[in-house]
Amino acid sequence: MAENIAPGIAMLEVATVILGQKQVVHPVLIWDKQDAVLIDTGFPGQRQTLDEQISGAVGPEGPALTRILISHQDIDHIGSLPELISSRADRPIEVFASELEKPYVEGERRLLRLTAEAIDQAIRSLPDSLPEEARLRFRYALEHPPAAPVDSLLVPGSALPFGGGIDVIATPGHTPGHISFYHRPSQTLVAGDELTVANGQLQGPEHLPALDTETAKRSLAALAEYEIAAVVCYHGGLYRGDANRRIAELFR
């Protein structure tokens, strides 16, 4: 269900079961009178859940979803992007991603985590009792991840004029073009996979499998200039502690 953080911004919660384990992620919805903007789209097959939570957050008279911001290429962030776009053919949705992530989101390049070796390892990790047909479906899903056109580039250092202003922050490391966002009116950092929450505490990039952990740690410095009242981590959810102090600790 959606959790309101402040007027015009809500944290969504979508869950799925992968290899017998429940996975929960937290896209973010930002809206004003004209636009509803979704940051990341969950796993494949979660359009209905997202639609329901978006409608619940903005209310019956609220704006339609008009834009989707993609923090980075991982399948749990782009999973339902094609479904969301196709479900709103009457009013096109503008998709944003960074220049470095764009070819992966669009399917021109293989997702960096989904190497042939990684896919083989994932198949080997499946339980022996799983039917062969299910194994083949799982392999196909990994070898053919969702893809969708990117309409506009997210430029680090710029501000998007939606929802009262959303700053675009380059936080590379988890992936080369990973982007975090700062919602100015609510002073909310939407951290993507740059940070996570575990046992109620804000944790750094080493708690998620970054492609370049050292670069991800250095990216914490980009967050220091923001006065942060709340942090939404894609994995772990909402953190309302002294985020600036905690991020400084993690950077040191």
Side-chain angles (χ1 to χ4, degrees):
M1 60 183 297
E3 178 179 348
N4 288 335
I5 299 170
I9 180 169
M11 179 181 74
L12 311 186
E13 180 175 300
V14 292
T16 192
V17 176
I18 299 177
L19 301 180
Q21 294 187 339
K22 184 179 180 181
Q23 303 284 337
V24 180
V25 296
H26 298 279
V28 169
L29 185 72
I30 296 172
W31 70 97
D32 53 28
K33 292 181 179 179
Q34 291 78 36
D35 298 291
V37 180
L38 181 65
I39 300 177
D40 292 329
T41 68
F43 292 96
Q46 296 187 309
R47 179 187 64 80
Q48 182 175 350
T49 299
L50 289 166
D51 282 344
E52 291 171 353
Q53 294 192 28
I54 290 169
S55 296
V58 303
E61 303 300 324
L65 182 64
T66 55
R67 294 174 175 86
I68 296 176
L69 314 182
I70 297 297
S71 66
H72 65 289
Q73 62 185 267
D74 286 345
I75 197 167
D76 56 333
H77 294 256
I78 65 172
S80 290
L81 179 59
E83 301 167 67
L84 286 165
I85 294 172
S86 63
S87 70
R88 290 168 171 80
D90 58 326
R91 185 174 184 182
I93 294 176
E94 187 177 10
V95 178
F96 292 72
S98 70
E99 185 173 11
L100 288 174
E101 301 293 294
K102 179 177 184 285
Y104 301 98
V105 176
E106 293 187 327
E108 292 181 5
R109 297 182 184 174
R110 182 198 292 264
L111 302 187
L112 289 173
R113 294 185 200 282
L114 295 183
T115 63
E117 293 78 11
I119 292 174
D120 287 342
Q121 177 60 40
I123 299 301
R124 287 194 296 271
S125 71
L126 295 173
D128 294 338
S129 58
L130 194 69
E132 183 62 22
E133 182 181 352
R135 289 174 176 274
L136 292 173
R137 286 199 304 268
F138 185 64
R139 176 180 286 278
Y140 183 87
L142 295 179
E143 291 178 342
H144 301 84
V150 173
D151 304 298
S152 300
L153 294 179
L154 294 168
V155 179
S158 66
L160 303 172
F162 320 126
I166 304 170
D167 288 351
V168 179
I169 312 168
T171 47
H174 185 79
T175 62
H178 185 283
I179 294 289
S180 299
F181 304 93
Y182 180 76
H183 182 235
R184 292 180 178 180
S186 66
Q187 296 183 315
T188 299
L189 172 67
V190 183
D193 285 353
E194 172 67 7
L195 297 165
T196 188
V197 176
N199 299 318
Q201 182 60 277
L202 196 63
Q203 303 291 354
E206 67 275 10
H207 283 257
L208 289 173
L211 292 175
D212 186 338
T213 300
E214 291 306 311
T215 296
K217 288 180 179 178
R218 289 194 294 271
S219 291
L220 293 171
L223 309 177
E225 64 184 88
Y226 296 93
E227 188 66 31
I228 302 170
V231 183
V232 180
C233 299
Y234 203 65
H235 301 276
L238 184 62
Y239 179 80
R240 286 192 182 274
D242 188 344
N244 288 94
R245 178 191 60 79
R246 178 59 178 160
I247 291 170
E249 290 176 353
L250 293 170
F251 181 67
R252 287 196 298 267

Coordinates of all heavy atoms in Angstrom, one line a residue, residues 75-161:
I75 N 16.5 -5.1 -13.3 CA 15.2 -5.6 -13.7 C 14.1 -5.3 -12.6 O 12.9 -5.2 -13.0 CB 15.3 -7.1 -13.9 CG1 14.1 -7.6 -14.8 CG2 15.4 -7.9 -12.7 CD1 14.3 -9.0 -15.3
D76 N 14.4 -5.2 -11.4 CA 13.4 -4.8 -10.4 C 13.0 -3.3 -10.4 O 12.1 -2.9 -9.7 CB 13.9 -5.2 -9.0 CG 15.2 -4.6 -8.6 OD1 16.0 -4.3 -9.4 OD2 15.4 -4.4 -7.3
H77 N 13.7 -2.6 -11.2 CA 13.4 -1.1 -11.4 C 12.7 -0.9 -12.8 O 11.9 0.0 -12.8 CB 14.7 -0.3 -11.3 CG 15.3 -0.3 -10.0 ND1 15.2 0.7 -9.1 CD2 16.0 -1.3 -9.3 CE1 15.8 0.4 -7.9 NE2 16.3 -0.8 -8.1
I78 N 13.0 -1.7 -13.8 CA 12.4 -1.4 -15.1 C 11.3 -2.5 -15.4 O 10.7 -2.5 -16.5 CB 13.4 -1.5 -16.2 CG1 14.1 -2.9 -16.3 CG2 14.5 -0.4 -16.0 CD1 15.0 -3.0 -17.5
G79 N 11.1 -3.4 -14.5 CA 10.3 -4.6 -14.7 C 8.9 -4.3 -15.3 O 8.5 -5.0 -16.3
S80 N 8.1 -3.4 -14.8 CA 6.8 -3.2 -15.2 C 6.7 -1.9 -16.2 O 5.6 -1.5 -16.5 CB 5.8 -3.0 -14.0 OG 5.6 -4.2 -13.4
L81 N 7.8 -1.4 -16.6 CA 7.8 -0.2 -17.4 C 7.0 -0.5 -18.7 O 6.1 0.4 -19.1 CB 9.2 0.2 -17.7 CG 9.4 1.4 -18.6 CD1 8.7 2.7 -18.1 CD2 10.9 1.7 -18.9
P82 N 7.3 -1.5 -19.5 CA 6.5 -1.7 -20.8 C 5.0 -1.8 -20.5 O 4.2 -1.3 -21.3 CB 7.1 -3.0 -21.3 CG 8.5 -3.1 -20.7 CD 8.3 -2.6 -19.3
E83 N 4.6 -2.5 -19.5 CA 3.2 -2.7 -19.2 C 2.5 -1.3 -18.8 O 1.4 -1.1 -19.3 CB 3.0 -3.6 -18.0 CG 3.6 -5.0 -18.2 CD 3.7 -5.8 -16.9 OE1 2.6 -6.1 -16.4 OE2 4.8 -6.0 -16.4
L84 N 3.2 -0.5 -18.1 CA 2.7 0.8 -17.7 C 2.5 1.7 -18.9 O 1.5 2.4 -19.1 CB 3.5 1.5 -16.7 CG 3.5 0.9 -15.3 CD1 4.7 1.4 -14.4 CD2 2.2 1.3 -14.6
I85 N 3.4 1.6 -19.8 CA 3.4 2.5 -21.0 C 2.2 2.0 -21.9 O 1.4 2.8 -22.4 CB 4.7 2.4 -21.8 CG1 5.8 3.1 -21.0 CG2 4.6 3.1 -23.1 CD1 7.2 2.9 -21.6
S86 N 2.1 0.7 -22.2 CA 1.1 0.2 -23.1 C -0.3 0.3 -22.5 O -1.2 0.4 -23.3 CB 1.4 -1.3 -23.4 OG 1.3 -2.1 -22.2
S87 N -0.4 0.4 -21.2 CA -1.8 0.5 -20.6 C -2.3 1.9 -20.7 O -3.5 2.0 -20.4 CB -1.7 0.0 -19.1 OG -1.0 1.0 -18.4
R88 N -1.5 2.8 -21.2 CA -2.0 4.2 -21.2 C -1.8 4.8 -22.6 O -1.2 5.8 -22.8 CB -1.3 5.0 -20.2 CG -1.8 4.7 -18.8 CD -0.8 5.3 -17.7 NE -1.4 5.2 -16.4 CZ -1.3 4.1 -15.7 NH1 -0.6 3.0 -16.2 NH2 -1.8 4.0 -14.4
A89 N -2.2 4.0 -23.6 CA -2.0 4.4 -25.0 C -2.7 5.7 -25.3 O -2.3 6.5 -26.2 CB -2.4 3.3 -26.0
D90 N -3.8 6.0 -24.6 CA -4.6 7.2 -24.9 C -3.9 8.5 -24.4 O -4.2 9.6 -24.9 CB -5.9 7.1 -24.2 CG -5.8 6.9 -22.7 OD1 -4.9 6.3 -22.3 OD2 -6.7 7.5 -21.9
R91 N -2.9 8.3 -23.5 CA -2.2 9.5 -23.0 C -0.7 9.0 -22.8 O -0.4 8.4 -21.7 CB -2.7 10.0 -21.7 CG -2.0 11.3 -21.2 CD -2.8 11.9 -20.0 NE -2.1 13.2 -19.7 CZ -2.5 13.9 -18.6 NH1 -3.5 13.5 -17.9 NH2 -1.9 15.0 -18.3
P92 N 0.2 9.2 -23.7 CA 1.5 8.7 -23.6 C 2.2 9.1 -22.4 O 2.0 10.2 -21.8 CB 2.2 9.3 -24.9 CG 1.1 9.6 -25.8 CD -0.1 10.0 -25.0
I93 N 3.0 8.2 -21.8 CA 3.9 8.5 -20.7 C 5.3 8.8 -21.1 O 5.9 8.0 -21.9 CB 3.8 7.3 -19.7 CG1 2.4 7.1 -19.2 CG2 4.8 7.5 -18.6 CD1 2.3 5.9 -18.3
E94 N 5.9 9.8 -20.6 CA 7.2 10.2 -21.0 C 8.2 9.5 -20.0 O 8.0 9.5 -18.8 CB 7.4 11.7 -20.8 CG 8.8 12.2 -21.3 CD 8.9 13.7 -21.2 OE1 8.0 14.4 -20.6 OE2 9.9 14.3 -21.8
V95 N 9.1 8.8 -20.6 CA 10.1 8.0 -19.8 C 11.4 8.7 -19.8 O 12.0 9.1 -20.8 CB 10.2 6.6 -20.4 CG1 11.3 5.7 -19.6 CG2 8.9 5.8 -20.4
F96 N 12.0 8.8 -18.6 CA 13.3 9.4 -18.4 C 14.3 8.4 -17.8 O 14.0 7.6 -17.0 CB 13.2 10.5 -17.3 CG 12.4 11.7 -17.7 CD1 11.0 11.6 -17.8 CD2 13.0 13.0 -18.0 CE1 10.2 12.8 -18.2 CE2 12.2 14.1 -18.3 CZ 10.9 14.0 -18.4
A97 N 15.6 8.5 -18.3 CA 16.7 7.7 -17.8 C 18.0 8.5 -18.1 O 18.0 9.4 -18.9 CB 16.7 6.3 -18.4
S98 N 19.0 8.1 -17.4 CA 20.3 8.8 -17.6 C 20.9 8.3 -19.0 O 20.5 7.2 -19.5 CB 21.3 8.5 -16.5 OG 21.7 7.1 -16.5
E99 N 21.8 9.0 -19.5 CA 22.4 8.7 -20.8 C 23.1 7.3 -20.7 O 23.0 6.5 -21.7 CB 23.4 9.8 -21.2 CG 24.0 9.6 -22.6 CD 24.8 10.7 -23.1 OE1 25.1 11.6 -22.3 OE2 25.1 10.8 -24.3
L100 N 23.8 7.1 -19.6 CA 24.5 5.8 -19.5 C 23.6 4.6 -19.4 O 23.9 3.5 -19.8 CB 25.5 5.8 -18.3 CG 26.7 6.7 -18.5 CD1 27.5 6.8 -17.1 CD2 27.6 6.2 -19.6
E101 N 22.4 4.8 -18.8 CA 21.5 3.7 -18.6 C 20.5 3.5 -19.8 O 19.9 2.4 -19.9 CB 20.7 3.9 -17.3 CG 21.5 4.1 -16.0 CD 22.2 2.8 -15.6 OE1 21.5 1.8 -15.3 OE2 23.5 2.8 -15.7
K102 N 20.4 4.5 -20.6 CA 19.4 4.5 -21.7 C 19.5 3.2 -22.6 O 18.5 2.5 -22.8 CB 19.5 5.7 -22.5 CG 18.5 5.8 -23.7 CD 18.7 7.2 -24.4 CE 17.7 7.4 -25.5 NZ 18.1 6.6 -26.7
P103 N 20.7 2.8 -23.1 CA 20.7 1.7 -24.0 C 20.3 0.4 -23.3 O 19.8 -0.6 -23.9 CB 22.1 1.7 -24.5 CG 22.9 2.5 -23.5 CD 22.0 3.5 -23.0
Y104 N 20.5 0.3 -22.0 CA 20.1 -0.9 -21.3 C 18.6 -0.9 -21.0 O 17.9 -2.0 -21.2 CB 20.8 -1.0 -19.9 CG 22.3 -1.0 -20.1 CD1 23.1 0.2 -20.0 CD2 23.0 -2.2 -20.4 CE1 24.4 0.2 -20.1 CE2 24.4 -2.2 -20.6 CZ 25.1 -1.0 -20.4 OH 26.5 -1.0 -20.6
V105 N 18.0 0.2 -20.7 CA 16.6 0.3 -20.5 C 15.8 0.0 -21.8 O 14.8 -0.6 -21.8 CB 16.2 1.7 -20.0 CG1 14.7 1.8 -19.9 CG2 16.8 2.0 -18.6
E106 N 16.4 0.5 -22.9 CA 15.8 0.3 -24.2 C 16.1 -1.1 -24.8 O 15.5 -1.4 -25.9 CB 16.3 1.3 -25.2 CG 15.8 2.7 -24.8 CD 16.1 3.8 -25.8 OE1 17.2 3.7 -26.5 OE2 15.3 4.7 -26.0
G107 N 16.9 -1.9 -24.2 CA 17.2 -3.3 -24.7 C 18.2 -3.3 -25.8 O 18.4 -4.4 -26.3
E108 N 18.9 -2.3 -26.0 CA 20.0 -2.3 -27.0 C 21.2 -3.0 -26.5 O 22.0 -3.6 -27.3 CB 20.4 -0.9 -27.4 CG 19.3 -0.1 -28.2 CD 19.7 1.3 -28.5 OE1 20.9 1.6 -28.3 OE2 18.9 2.1 -29.1
R109 N 21.4 -3.0 -25.2 CA 22.5 -3.7 -24.6 C 22.0 -4.7 -23.5 O 20.9 -4.4 -22.8 CB 23.5 -2.8 -24.0 CG 24.2 -1.8 -25.0 CD 25.2 -1.0 -24.3 NE 25.8 0.0 -25.2 CZ 26.6 1.0 -24.9 NH1 27.0 1.1 -23.6 NH2 27.1 1.8 -25.8
R110 N 22.7 -5.8 -23.2 CA 22.3 -6.7 -22.2 C 22.5 -6.0 -20.8 O 23.5 -5.3 -20.6 CB 23.2 -7.9 -22.2 CG 22.9 -9.0 -21.2 CD 24.0 -10.0 -21.0 NE 24.2 -10.8 -22.2 CZ 23.8 -12.0 -22.3 NH1 23.0 -12.5 -21.4 NH2 24.0 -12.7 -23.4
L111 N 21.5 -6.2 -19.9 CA 21.7 -5.7 -18.6 C 22.9 -6.2 -18.0 O 23.3 -7.3 -18.0 CB 20.5 -6.1 -17.7 CG 19.1 -5.7 -18.2 CD1 18.0 -6.0 -17.2 CD2 19.0 -4.2 -18.6
L112 N 23.7 -5.3 -17.3 CA 25.0 -5.6 -16.9 C 25.1 -6.7 -15.9 O 26.1 -7.5 -15.8 CB 25.7 -4.3 -16.3 CG 26.0 -3.2 -17.3 CD1 26.5 -2.0 -16.6 CD2 27.1 -3.7 -18.3
R113 N 24.1 -6.9 -15.1 CA 24.1 -8.0 -14.1 C 23.7 -9.3 -14.7 O 24.0 -10.4 -14.2 CB 23.1 -7.7 -12.9 CG 23.5 -6.5 -12.1 CD 22.6 -6.3 -10.9 NE 22.7 -4.9 -10.4 CZ 23.7 -4.5 -9.7 NH1 24.7 -5.3 -9.3 NH2 23.8 -3.2 -9.3
L114 N 23.0 -9.2 -15.9 CA 22.5 -10.5 -16.5 C 23.5 -11.0 -17.5 O 23.1 -11.2 -18.7 CB 21.1 -10.2 -17.1 CG 20.0 -9.9 -16.1 CD1 18.7 -9.8 -16.8 CD2 19.9 -11.0 -15.0
T115 N 24.7 -11.3 -17.1 CA 25.7 -11.9 -18.0 C 25.2 -13.4 -18.2 O 24.4 -13.9 -17.4 CB 27.1 -11.9 -17.3 OG1 27.0 -12.6 -16.1 CG2 27.5 -10.4 -17.0
A116 N 25.8 -14.0 -19.2 CA 25.5 -15.4 -19.4 C 25.9 -16.2 -18.2 O 25.2 -17.2 -17.8 CB 26.3 -15.9 -20.7
E117 N 27.0 -15.9 -17.6 CA 27.5 -16.6 -16.4 C 26.5 -16.4 -15.2 O 26.2 -17.4 -14.5 CB 28.9 -16.2 -16.0 CG 30.0 -16.5 -16.9 CD 30.0 -15.5 -18.1 OE1 29.3 -14.5 -18.1 OE2 30.7 -15.8 -19.1
A118 N 26.0 -15.2 -15.1 CA 25.0 -14.9 -14.0 C 23.7 -15.7 -14.2 O 23.1 -16.2 -13.2 CB 24.8 -13.4 -13.9
I119 N 23.3 -15.7 -15.4 CA 22.0 -16.5 -15.7 C 22.2 -18.0 -15.5 O 21.4 -18.6 -14.9 CB 21.6 -16.2 -17.2 CG1 21.2 -14.7 -17.4 CG2 20.5 -17.1 -17.6 CD1 20.9 -14.3 -18.8
D120 N 23.3 -18.5 -15.9 CA 23.6 -19.9 -15.7 C 23.6 -20.2 -14.2 O 23.1 -21.2 -13.7 CB 24.9 -20.3 -16.3 CG 24.8 -20.5 -17.8 OD1 23.7 -20.5 -18.3 OD2 25.9 -20.4 -18.5
Q121 N 24.2 -19.3 -13.4 CA 24.3 -19.5 -11.9 C 22.9 -19.4 -11.3 O 22.6 -20.2 -10.4 CB 25.2 -18.4 -11.3 CG 25.3 -18.4 -9.8 CD 25.8 -19.8 -9.3 OE1 26.8 -20.3 -9.8 NE2 25.2 -20.3 -8.2
A122 N 22.1 -18.5 -11.8 CA 20.7 -18.4 -11.3 C 19.9 -19.7 -11.6 O 19.2 -20.2 -10.8 CB 20.0 -17.2 -12.0
I123 N 20.1 -20.3 -12.8 CA 19.4 -21.5 -13.1 C 19.9 -22.7 -12.2 O 19.1 -23.5 -11.8 CB 19.6 -21.9 -14.6 CG1 19.1 -20.8 -15.5 CG2 19.0 -23.2 -15.0 CD1 17.6 -20.5 -15.4
R124 N 21.2 -22.7 -12.0 CA 21.8 -23.8 -11.1 C 21.2 -23.7 -9.7 O 21.2 -24.7 -9.0 CB 23.3 -23.7 -11.1 CG 23.9 -24.2 -12.4 CD 25.4 -24.5 -12.3 NE 26.1 -23.3 -11.9 CZ 26.7 -22.5 -12.9 NH1 26.5 -22.8 -14.2 NH2 27.3 -21.4 -12.5
S125 N 20.9 -22.4 -9.3 CA 20.4 -22.2 -7.9 C 19.0 -22.6 -7.7 O 18.5 -22.7 -6.6 CB 20.6 -20.8 -7.5 OG 19.7 -19.9 -8.2
L126 N 18.3 -22.9 -8.8 CA 16.9 -23.3 -8.7 C 16.8 -24.7 -8.0 O 17.6 -25.6 -8.2 CB 16.2 -23.4 -10.1 CG 16.1 -22.1 -10.9 CD1 15.6 -22.4 -12.3 CD2 15.2 -21.1 -10.2
P127 N 15.7 -24.9 -7.3 CA 15.6 -26.2 -6.6 C 15.4 -27.4 -7.6 O 14.8 -27.2 -8.7 CB 14.3 -26.1 -5.7 CG 13.6 -24.9 -6.3 CD 14.6 -24.0 -6.9
D128 N 16.0 -28.5 -7.3 CA 15.9 -29.7 -8.2 C 14.5 -30.1 -8.5 O 14.2 -30.7 -9.5 CB 16.7 -30.8 -7.5 CG 18.2 -30.6 -7.4 OD1 18.7 -29.7 -8.1 OD2 18.8 -31.2 -6.6
S129 N 13.6 -29.8 -7.6 CA 12.2 -30.2 -7.7 C 11.4 -29.4 -8.7 O 10.3 -29.7 -9.1 CB 11.4 -30.2 -6.4 OG 11.5 -28.9 -5.8
L130 N 12.0 -28.3 -9.2 CA 11.3 -27.4 -10.1 C 11.2 -28.0 -11.5 O 12.2 -28.5 -12.0 CB 12.1 -26.0 -10.2 CG 11.3 -24.9 -10.9 CD1 10.1 -24.4 -10.0 CD2 12.2 -23.7 -11.2
P131 N 10.0 -28.1 -12.0 CA 9.8 -28.7 -13.4 C 10.7 -28.0 -14.4 O 10.9 -26.8 -14.4 CB 8.3 -28.5 -13.6 CG 7.7 -28.3 -12.3 CD 8.7 -27.6 -11.5
E132 N 11.0 -28.8 -15.4 CA 11.9 -28.3 -16.5 C 11.2 -27.1 -17.2 O 11.9 -26.1 -17.6 CB 12.2 -29.4 -17.5 CG 13.1 -29.0 -18.6 CD 14.5 -28.5 -18.1 OE1 14.9 -28.9 -17.0 OE2 15.2 -27.8 -18.8
E133 N 9.9 -27.2 -17.4 CA 9.2 -26.1 -18.1 C 9.3 -24.8 -17.3 O 9.6 -23.7 -17.9 CB 7.7 -26.4 -18.2 CG 6.9 -25.3 -19.0 CD 5.4 -25.7 -19.1 OE1 5.1 -26.8 -18.7 OE2 4.7 -24.8 -19.5
A134 N 9.3 -24.8 -16.0 CA 9.5 -23.6 -15.2 C 10.9 -23.1 -15.3 O 11.1 -21.9 -15.3 CB 9.1 -23.9 -13.7
R135 N 11.8 -24.0 -15.4 CA 13.2 -23.6 -15.5 C 13.4 -22.9 -16.8 O 14.1 -21.8 -16.9 CB 14.2 -24.8 -15.5 CG 14.3 -25.5 -14.2 CD 15.1 -26.8 -14.3 NE 15.3 -27.3 -12.9 CZ 16.3 -27.0 -12.1 NH1 17.2 -26.1 -12.5 NH2 16.4 -27.5 -10.9
L136 N 12.8 -23.4 -17.9 CA 12.9 -22.7 -19.2 C 12.3 -21.3 -19.2 O 12.8 -20.4 -19.8 CB 12.3 -23.6 -20.3 CG 13.1 -24.9 -20.5 CD1 12.3 -25.8 -21.5 CD2 14.5 -24.7 -21.1
R137 N 11.1 -21.2 -18.5 CA 10.5 -19.9 -18.4 C 11.3 -18.9 -17.7 O 11.4 -17.7 -18.1 CB 9.1 -20.1 -17.8 CG 8.0 -20.7 -18.6 CD 6.6 -20.4 -18.1 NE 6.5 -20.8 -16.7 CZ 6.0 -21.9 -16.3 NH1 5.7 -22.8 -17.2 NH2 5.9 -22.2 -15.0
F138 N 11.9 -19.4 -16.6 CA 12.8 -18.5 -15.8 C 14.0 -18.0 -16.6 O 14.4 -16.9 -16.6 CB 13.2 -19.2 -14.5 CG 14.0 -18.4 -13.6 CD1 13.5 -17.3 -13.0 CD2 15.3 -18.7 -13.3 CE1 14.2 -16.5 -12.1 CE2 16.1 -17.9 -12.4 CZ 15.5 -16.8 -11.8
R139 N 14.6 -19.0 -17.3 CA 15.8 -18.6 -18.2 C 15.4 -17.6 -19.3 O 16.1 -16.6 -19.5 CB 16.4 -19.8 -18.8 CG 17.5 -19.5 -19.8 CD 18.1 -20.8 -20.4 NE 19.0 -21.5 -19.5 CZ 20.2 -21.2 -19.2 NH1 20.8 -20.1 -19.8 NH2 20.9 -21.9 -18.4
Y140 N 14.2 -17.9 -19.9 CA 13.7 -17.0 -20.9 C 13.5 -15.5 -20.4 O 13.9 -14.6 -21.0 CB 12.4 -17.5 -21.5 CG 11.9 -16.6 -22.7 CD1 12.4 -16.9 -24.0 CD2 11.0 -15.6 -22.5 CE1 11.9 -16.1 -25.0 CE2 10.6 -14.8 -23.5 CZ 11.0 -15.0 -24.8 OH 10.6 -14.2 -25.8
A141 N 13.0 -15.5 -19.2 CA 12.7 -14.1 -18.6 C 14.0 -13.4 -18.3 O 14.1 -12.2 -18.5 CB 11.9 -14.3 -17.3
L142 N 15.0 -14.1 -17.9 CA 16.3 -13.5 -17.7 C 17.0 -13.1 -19.0 O 17.7 -12.0 -19.0 CB 17.2 -14.4 -16.8 CG 16.8 -14.7 -15.4 CD1 17.8 -15.7 -14.7 CD2 16.6 -13.4 -14.6
E143 N 16.9 -13.9 -20.0 CA 17.5 -13.6 -21.2 C 16.8 -12.6 -22.1 O 17.3 -12.0 -23.0 CB 17.7 -14.9 -22.0 CG 18.7 -15.9 -21.4 CD 18.8 -17.2 -22.2 OE1 17.9 -17.5 -23.0 OE2 19.8 -17.9 -22.0
H144 N 15.5 -12.3 -21.7 CA 14.7 -11.4 -22.5 C 14.0 -10.4 -21.5 O 12.8 -10.4 -21.3 CB 13.7 -12.1 -23.3 CG 14.2 -13.0 -24.3 ND1 14.6 -14.3 -24.0 CD2 14.5 -12.8 -25.6 CE1 15.1 -14.9 -25.1 NE2 15.1 -14.0 -26.1
P145 N 14.8 -9.6 -20.8 CA 14.3 -8.7 -19.8 C 13.4 -7.6 -20.4 O 13.5 -7.3 -21.6 CB 15.5 -8.1 -19.1 CG 16.6 -8.1 -20.1 CD 16.3 -9.4 -20.9
P146 N 12.5 -7.0 -19.6 CA 11.7 -5.9 -20.2 C 12.5 -4.8 -20.8 O 13.6 -4.5 -20.3 CB 10.9 -5.4 -18.9 CG 11.0 -6.5 -18.0 CD 12.3 -7.2 -18.2
A147 N 12.0 -4.1 -21.8 CA 12.7 -3.0 -22.4 C 11.6 -2.0 -22.9 O 10.5 -2.4 -23.2 CB 13.6 -3.4 -23.5
A148 N 12.0 -0.7 -22.9 CA 11.0 0.3 -23.4 C 11.8 1.5 -23.9 O 12.9 1.8 -23.4 CB 10.0 0.7 -22.3
P149 N 11.2 2.3 -24.8 CA 11.9 3.5 -25.3 C 12.1 4.5 -24.1 O 11.2 4.7 -23.3 CB 11.0 4.0 -26.4 CG 10.1 2.9 -26.7 CD 10.0 2.1 -25.5
V150 N 13.2 5.2 -24.2 CA 13.5 6.4 -23.3 C 13.3 7.6 -24.1 O 13.9 7.8 -25.1 CB 14.9 6.3 -22.7 CG1 15.2 7.6 -21.9 CG2 15.0 5.1 -21.8
D151 N 12.4 8.5 -23.6 CA 12.0 9.7 -24.3 C 12.9 10.9 -24.0 O 13.2 11.7 -24.8 CB 10.6 10.1 -24.0 CG 9.6 9.0 -24.3 OD1 9.5 8.6 -25.5 OD2 9.0 8.5 -23.4
S152 N 13.4 11.0 -22.7 CA 14.2 12.1 -22.3 C 15.3 11.7 -21.4 O 15.1 10.7 -20.6 CB 13.3 13.2 -21.6 OG 12.3 13.6 -22.4
L153 N 16.4 12.4 -21.4 CA 17.5 12.1 -20.5 C 17.5 12.8 -19.2 O 17.1 14.0 -19.1 CB 18.8 12.4 -21.3 CG 19.2 11.6 -22.5 CD1 20.5 12.1 -23.1 CD2 19.2 10.1 -22.2
L154 N 17.9 12.1 -18.2 CA 18.1 12.7 -16.9 C 19.5 13.3 -16.8 O 20.5 12.5 -16.9 CB 17.9 11.7 -15.8 CG 16.5 11.1 -15.6 CD1 16.5 9.8 -14.7 CD2 15.5 12.1 -15.1
V155 N 19.6 14.6 -16.6 CA 20.9 15.2 -16.6 C 21.3 15.6 -15.2 O 20.6 16.4 -14.5 CB 20.8 16.5 -17.5 CG1 22.2 17.2 -17.5 CG2 20.4 16.2 -18.9
P156 N 22.3 15.0 -14.7 CA 22.8 15.3 -13.3 C 23.0 16.8 -13.1 O 23.6 17.4 -14.0 CB 24.1 14.5 -13.2 CG 23.9 13.3 -14.1 CD 23.2 13.9 -15.3
G157 N 22.5 17.3 -12.0 CA 22.7 18.7 -11.7 C 21.5 19.5 -12.1 O 21.4 20.7 -11.8
S158 N 20.6 18.9 -12.9 CA 19.4 19.6 -13.3 C 18.2 19.4 -12.4 O 18.3 18.6 -11.5 CB 19.0 19.2 -14.7 OG 18.6 17.8 -14.7
A159 N 17.2 20.2 -12.6 CA 16.0 20.1 -11.8 C 14.8 19.9 -12.7 O 14.6 20.6 -13.7 CB 15.8 21.3 -10.9
L160 N 14.0 18.9 -12.4 CA 12.8 18.6 -13.2 C 11.6 19.4 -12.6 O 11.4 19.4 -11.4 CB 12.5 17.1 -13.2 CG 13.6 16.2 -13.7 CD1 13.2 14.7 -13.4 CD2 13.8 16.4 -15.1
P161 N 10.9 20.1 -13.5 CA 9.8 21.0 -13.0 C 8.5 20.3 -12.6 O 7.4 20.9 -13.0 CB 9.7 22.0 -14.1 CG 9.9 21.1 -15.4 CD 11.0 20.1 -15.0

